[in-house]
Amino acid sequence: MEDCLAKKMEITVSEAEKRTGRNAMNIQETYTAYLIETRAVESQSEGHCAPVESLWRRYSEFELLRNYLSVTYPHIVVPPLPEKRADFVWHKLSADNMDPDFVERRRIGLENFLLRVASHPVLCQDKIFYAFLMQEGGWKEMVNETGFQLKADSRLKALNATFRVKNPDKRFTELKHYSDELQSVISHLLRVRARVADRLYGVYKVHGNYGRVFSEWSAIEKEMGDGLQSAGHHMDVYAASIDDILEEEEHYADQLKEYLFYAEALRAVCRKHELMQYDLEMAAQDLTSKKQQCEELATGTVRTFSLKGMTSKLFGQESPEQREAKIKVLEEQIQEGEEQLKSKNLEGRDFVKSAWADIERFKEQKNHDLKEALISYAVMQISMCKKGIQVWTNAKECFSKM
Amino acid sequence: DLSLPNGTPVDTSSPASSSSLLNRLQLDDDLDVETRDLFVTVDDPKKHVCTMETYITYRVTTKTTRAEFDLPEYSVRRRYQDFDWLRNKLEESQPTHLIPPLPEKFVVKGVVDRFSEEFVETRRKALDKFLKRITDHPVLSFNEHFNVFLTAKDLNAYKKQGMALLSKMGESVKYVTGGYKLRSRPLEFAAIGDYLDTFSLKLGTIDRIAQRIIKEQLEYLVELREYGPVYSTWGGLEVELSEPLEGVSACIGNCCTALEELSEDMTEDFLPVLREYILYAESMKNVLKKRDQVQAEYEAKLEAVALKREDRPKVPADVEKCQDRVECFNADLKADMERWQNNKRQDFRQLLMGMADKNIQYYEKVCVT
């Protein structure tokens, strides 16, 4: 953790800019580009700062980076990207990708992503990541040259493995259940929160009507006029205050969203394990059947039903030479198979070990982050209430002066 | 200003009326709590089940040192009908005065339980206020019907007695169905009329806003009620985080309770007062109309006198005096109403504030993780 990139370099996503250009299909499109700034942190600051380097990246490039990392480090819980499209919106927030508030929150999310990768003990050392930060041109080509897309497991294969695997590590099975539940509960939470925000917005805004009617009323009153007028002003303040409050709350929602997406990353690691385990089981099964075949050929007994057996029964047995040849081939295959099995076993065990280490790291991070998020949410609520008290106390004073 | 067709100006406000106006005001100022000699309370609602109907009675307790009362203390049971009767009687016998409003007779809104605790309590408070306002009034509180209301064991017998004297009705009818056309309304009363119109309008708007807020708050409450438990569910899923998550869930639960209380208080204390004032404004307008009628009658009589060229000072004088009284009392009552408005507004605004405060304080106490 000491030599992770985050300690050696300041990384920020400082700006976002709307651009138009032509995409791969030569169709004009509008997109947002983000400015990544990096600066080396001198361990002994002698009053001089290293120069700031910067380059522009768009969201799709971030996606490419993440895909690369997920495939290259399948045992790592890779930090998620902020959402592509605005989700869990409540009525005031727009679902438009070009909306400045959305872009701003995305900017923060992307910066957060980079910082998470940079502070990860394994991921931060990746050269492609480094190049992403430092090298504007030719990065895409560099990534594609790694050929990581070929290493990616097909979804279908993974799905198959999930269903068919017989003996996955119990911890991973539990983890998968956990991440499923986590995903479901956080989604639910975010949905309800959006509705709560909507309703709260309504309550505050209607109070604004008080402002107007008090003002109109104060016009016909003599002694009560001033009091009403000022109280009305406070009602307007109250109604307006909800905008800031809810904007802050969006930040909390974003923190929750990050862990919602993290659940997916957890699942990916579990899937990889299941795939590897399935692979292992298949290899073992294959080996066992080959050994059996070999034995049968050698001893001439047919213990298992096979088409070969049937055809040979029908069309006559093969010659001893043919049998010898077959046995030889099988024995070679068996040897290969045993070596493969050994290495797969090793791989699997290594994977489980390193994956679990990262998962523990992740758990700690998650507990820490979420605790902080909850605390800051509570703090937000308290400050919202204090503001409310302020406004109503002011209004009360105005009323008392009527 | 009114004037006879021959040009002689008519004095519509005699010195007598001004001084009487001052007297009224002074009397009012003297009505401090310490010097008050009549105290009335409405409490202890009870349900009565009879063969024909079910109804609620309230206990009306009177404590007094006034000579008009035989005993220093009285305690009687009255139902809404009786209050209604009292109000009508007061309107009849003191047509130039502003009679405080009663809570609505029929509850039109949806399905309201006439015997629910909240409804009965709201009504009790309104009835109590009604009697207290009469008690505070320098003239109304001495009304004989009021006296009987407070003291009679059997009010129904007295009521029947009153019905027989229909001749008395005749006089009050004259005021209402005079049918005279008004020439010119003094600016003062026109202003009051306009004020009352706008006032009722604004109160109506506030009533609607308050109802809307309560509705929005209740919808917010619905969502909050779903929100809290999700944190609990999450807490069940986690190990280290379960405590803080449960904490948040509990907080939200408390917020729900506090919000519920706020909405209830608004409905029970705030809205009824608004409606009461709207009713007040209505009856004030009626009094204004009557006043107009009286003035119109006076004008018509004046014309008649002028045409007949008779020296009949008596009728105009009567009418004039009448109008004086109306003016005085109207001004008096308006001043009263303003004062009361201030205090009442302060009162229930403070109530609203207090409610909001409570809500917010709840949040504070409870949201500390």
Side-chain angles (χ1 to χ4, degrees):
Chain A
M1 212 86 68
E2 276 77 46
D3 53 0
C4 73
L5 199 58
K7 294 277 164 78
K8 293 192 259 182
M9 181 166 21
E10 267 175 39
I11 306 173
T12 52
V13 176
S14 51
E15 277 173 46
E17 212 176 72
K18 226 197 286 205
R19 301 249 180 102
T20 40
R22 294 203 171 269
N23 66 6
M25 307 207 278
N26 211 28
I27 297 169
Q28 190 163 41
E29 55 167 5
T30 323
Y31 63 92
T32 314
Y34 300 87
L35 183 67
I36 304 179
E37 287 183 334
T38 51
R39 173 166 57 199
V41 171
E42 303 289 316
S43 47
Q44 279 121 339
S45 53
E46 287 148 12
H48 70 93
C49 268
V52 172
E53 314 227 2
S54 63
L55 47 74
W56 291 89
R57 293 261 182 241
R58 54 185 293 191
Y59 188 84
S60 55
E61 293 176 280
F62 280 86
E63 277 184 314
L64 187 58
L65 173 67
R66 188 173 188 277
N67 287 342
Y68 163 78
L69 290 173
S70 314
V71 172
T72 318
Y73 304 92
H75 59 290
I76 300 283
V77 183
V78 178
L81 284 174
E83 51 192 356
K84 188 156 192 161
R85 259 162 278 282
D87 213 350
F88 303 112
V89 288
W90 55 282
H91 95 277
K92 199 212 157 200
L93 288 185
S94 77
D96 176 19
N97 281 5
M98 290 294 151
D99 179 69
D101 284 331
F102 177 74
V103 169
E104 173 60 17
R105 294 205 338 268
R106 206 197 235 190
R107 183 193 66 75
I108 296 173
L110 290 175
E111 185 177 287
N112 188 49
F113 167 73
L114 292 179
L115 289 172
R116 287 235 192 257
V117 177
S119 26
H120 191 284
V122 173
L123 296 178
C124 71
Q125 302 183 25
D126 187 278
K127 293 198 170 47
I128 297 287
F129 174 60
Y130 190 75
F132 181 86
L133 295 173
M134 309 300 288
Q135 183 188 320
E136 182 143 27
W139 177 79
K140 258 203 207 145
E141 288 73 17
M142 195 199 274
V143 180
N144 289 329
E145 266 167 37
T146 62
F148 79 93
Q149 274 112 341
L150 299 169
K151 283 194 250 162
D153 300 311
S154 85
R155 268 299 222 207
L156 196 60
K157 229 171 83 178
L159 200 62
N160 185 41
T162 306
F163 282 127
R164 299 254 196 105
V165 70
K166 294 205 188 87
N167 255 338
D169 185 314
K170 271 229 166 57
R171 292 177 296 174
F172 282 93
T173 319
E174 278 170 20
L175 186 66
K176 202 162 67 128
H177 285 150
Y178 168 77
S179 55
D180 281 342
E181 309 233 331
L182 186 70
Q183 203 169 36
S184 138
V185 84
I186 296 187
S187 315
H188 190 199
L189 191 69
L190 286 171
R191 265 197 310 274
V192 183
R193 191 210 71 90
R195 289 207 300 264
V196 168
D198 212 11
R199 291 286 169 217
L200 190 62
Y201 183 78
V203 172
Y204 269 73
K205 282 301 176 192
V206 178
H207 279 85
N209 293 340
Y210 271 148
R212 197 186 57 238
V213 76
F214 281 173
S215 182
E216 291 167 4
W217 185 7
S218 72
I220 61 168
E221 293 290 343
K222 285 180 228 117
E223 298 118 9
M224 298 207 305
D226 287 333
L228 277 175
Q229 181 86 310
S230 353
H233 164 74
H234 289 297
M235 289 294 106
D236 287 332
V237 168
Y238 181 73
S241 69
I242 191 68
D243 292 314
D244 288 336
I245 290 170
L246 286 177
E247 216 180 279
E248 263 191 77
E249 260 198 37
E250 277 314 305
H251 178 65
Y252 169 69
D254 284 339
Q255 289 175 295
L256 291 183
K257 268 183 225 170
E258 193 191 7
Y259 277 92
L260 177 68
F261 302 142
Y262 253 125
E264 181 54 42
L266 273 180
R267 259 221 297 260
V269 176
C270 294
R271 268 202 305 269
K272 183 68 183 181
H273 164 74
E274 283 171 346
L275 202 65
M276 289 181 81
Q277 179 68 13
Y278 179 69
D279 219 20
L280 186 68
E281 286 171 6
M282 286 291 103
Q285 201 178 322
D286 194 49
L287 189 65
T288 315
S289 93
K290 286 213 162 79
K291 282 191 179 159
Q292 215 162 45
Q293 268 182 43
C294 203
E295 197 195 310
E296 282 169 17
L297 281 177
T299 58
T301 55
V302 180
R303 246 184 288 142
T304 55
F305 175 82
S306 75
L307 194 61
K308 209 60 184 316
M310 281 307 295
T311 52
S312 61
K313 274 230 165 109
L314 289 170
F315 298 109
Q317 293 229 317
E318 41 196 7
S319 68
E321 292 85 19
Q322 283 174 315
R323 220 181 322 147
E324 273 307 315
K326 276 212 188 101
I327 291 176
K328 232 288 135 50
V329 165
L330 272 175
E331 278 179 347
E332 271 178 31
Q333 284 181 338
I334 288 171
Q335 181 124 25
E336 257 183 61
E338 283 195 330
E339 276 176 24
Q340 264 197 8
L341 194 64
K342 220 190 271 180
S343 72
K344 276 207 165 105
N345 233 323
L346 210 63
E347 256 182 55
R349 269 204 277 268
D350 277 345
F351 178 86
V352 168
K353 200 168 92 171
S354 48
W356 206 254
D358 196 56
I359 286 166
E360 291 296 334
R361 180 205 63 81
F362 167 75
K363 276 192 192 158
E364 263 192 56
Q365 175 197 300
K366 173 199 71 159
N367 287 336
H368 174 262
D369 287 349
L370 288 177
K371 225 183 246 181
E372 268 192 29
L374 289 173
I375 290 177
S376 78
Y377 182 58
V379 168
M380 254 189 264
Q381 295 298 314
I382 292 178
S383 104
M384 170 174 98
C385 294
K386 289 220 170 108
K387 280 193 205 137
I389 293 182
Q390 182 84 56
V391 165
W392 283 107
T393 315
N394 290 342
K396 189 173 168 180
E397 245 189 78
C398 294
F399 288 132
S400 65
K401 293 201 189 121
M402 284 195 328
Chain B
D1 265 343
L2 299 160
S3 57
L4 290 171
N6 66 6
T8 320
V10 177
D11 199 350
T12 49
S13 56
S14 59
S17 64
S18 304
S19 60
S20 61
L21 173 62
L22 280 168
N23 283 343
R24 298 277 166 264
L25 289 174
Q26 268 168 359
L27 253 176
D28 252 358
D29 286 338
D30 283 343
L31 275 169
D32 284 325
V33 184
E34 290 83 44
T35 58
R36 244 206 280 163
D37 54 3
L38 179 65
F39 297 87
V40 179
T41 328
V42 177
D43 60 7
D44 191 33
K46 272 204 172 65
K47 196 160 152 180
H48 296 256
V49 184
C50 303
T51 40
M52 291 297 284
E53 53 173 349
T54 311
Y55 59 91
I56 308 250
T57 62
Y58 304 84
R59 179 175 65 189
V60 178
T61 319
T62 311
K63 290 195 172 71
T64 180
T65 55
R66 285 190 187 176
E68 289 82 5
F69 292 85
D70 296 330
L71 299 172
E73 269 193 52
Y74 290 91
S75 179
V76 294
R77 288 239 140 226
R78 297 282 180 254
R79 54 186 289 191
Y80 184 91
Q81 270 182 10
D82 303 329
F83 285 84
D84 197 33
W85 168 88
L86 173 64
R87 189 169 195 284
N88 288 335
K89 279 284 174 241
L90 286 176
E91 267 190 335
E92 274 172 37
S93 50
Q94 319 268 190
T96 58
H97 284 269
L98 180 53
I99 318 297
L102 270 182
E104 277 148 15
K105 194 169 206 161
F106 304 109
V107 194
V108 188
K109 250 213 293 181
V111 186
V112 179
D113 181 10
R114 275 189 308 133
F115 303 108
S116 79
E117 256 187 63
E118 295 92 34
F119 178 77
V120 171
E121 177 58 17
T122 308
R123 208 178 229 201
R124 182 202 67 76
K125 281 195 221 161
L127 294 174
D128 184 71
K129 212 180 262 184
F130 169 71
L131 289 185
K132 286 198 159 69
R133 280 181 174 145
I134 298 176
T135 312
D136 286 344
H137 198 284
V139 175
L140 291 180
S141 61
F142 287 94
N143 183 283
E144 58 163 314
H145 299 300
F146 184 52
N147 188 310
V148 174
F149 177 88
L150 292 178
T151 60
K153 280 286 169 217
D154 184 3
L155 193 61
N156 287 328
Y158 180 79
K159 280 190 204 176
K160 291 202 182 93
Q161 195 184 44
M163 290 300 278
L165 302 166
L166 276 171
S167 55
K168 285 238 173 114
M169 293 290 288
E171 209 179 321
S172 58
V173 169
K174 204 162 88 165
Y175 286 113
V176 179
T177 59
Y180 296 102
K181 242 182 135 197
L182 188 64
R183 287 283 180 77
S184 64
R185 194 178 288 121
L187 277 169
E188 192 188 359
F189 294 107
I192 294 180
D194 287 339
Y195 168 79
L196 286 175
D197 282 335
T198 316
F199 178 69
S200 313
L201 224 78
K202 295 307 153 195
L203 280 191
T205 310
I206 293 181
D207 183 52
R208 276 192 303 279
I209 295 176
Q211 278 187 53
R212 173 99 183 272
I213 288 182
I214 291 176
K215 177 166 159 281
E216 296 279 341
Q217 277 176 340
L218 288 177
E219 289 181 351
Y220 173 57
L221 192 63
V222 166
E223 300 298 348
L224 266 191
R225 286 227 171 93
E226 201 188 317
Y227 190 46
V230 182
Y231 279 100
S232 258
T233 312
W234 190 358
L237 189 61
E238 298 285 340
V239 175
E240 263 197 58
L241 290 175
S242 69
E243 231 185 272
L245 286 170
E246 282 292 338
V248 175
S249 181
C251 286
I252 295 178
N254 288 338
C255 295
C256 288
T257 320
L259 187 62
E260 226 178 340
E261 280 178 26
L262 176 64
S263 300
E264 258 175 48
D265 287 327
M266 281 282 279
T267 313
E268 282 168 28
D269 295 320
F270 182 70
L271 289 181
V273 178
L274 278 181
R275 299 207 181 111
E276 188 189 290
Y277 269 93
I278 295 177
L279 288 172
Y280 228 141
E282 287 297 312
S283 57
M284 268 191 100
K285 281 198 266 191
N286 281 336
V287 175
L288 279 183
K289 277 198 200 120
K290 282 189 219 160
R291 191 216 66 84
D292 283 352
Q293 284 302 320
V294 169
Q295 185 181 331
E297 201 185 314
Y298 170 54
E299 285 173 355
K301 292 224 164 82
L302 270 180
E303 259 192 65
V305 166
L307 288 171
K308 285 184 189 168
R309 287 173 204 277
E310 271 178 52
D311 188 32
R312 291 191 53 190
K314 211 173 164 210
V315 173
D318 272 350
V319 182
E320 188 192 302
K321 246 195 239 163
C322 196
Q323 193 193 15
D324 278 346
R325 273 165 55 209
V326 178
E327 282 190 40
C328 293
F329 289 134
N330 229 336
D332 183 31
L333 289 163
K334 182 171 191 287
D336 257 356
M337 206 196 129
E338 284 293 344
R339 242 184 296 138
W340 281 346
Q341 246 195 43
N342 290 351
N343 293 330
K344 290 302 184 287
R345 284 285 177 273
Q346 229 197 63
D347 281 343
F348 71 63
R349 280 305 179 192
Q350 283 196 353
L351 198 70
L352 172 61
M353 306 317 352
M355 296 305 123
D357 269 348
K358 235 207 289 184
N359 182 17
I360 289 161
Q361 273 163 16
Y362 252 115
Y363 262 95
E364 248 185 350
K365 272 181 234 163
V366 137
C367 270
V368 179
T369 45

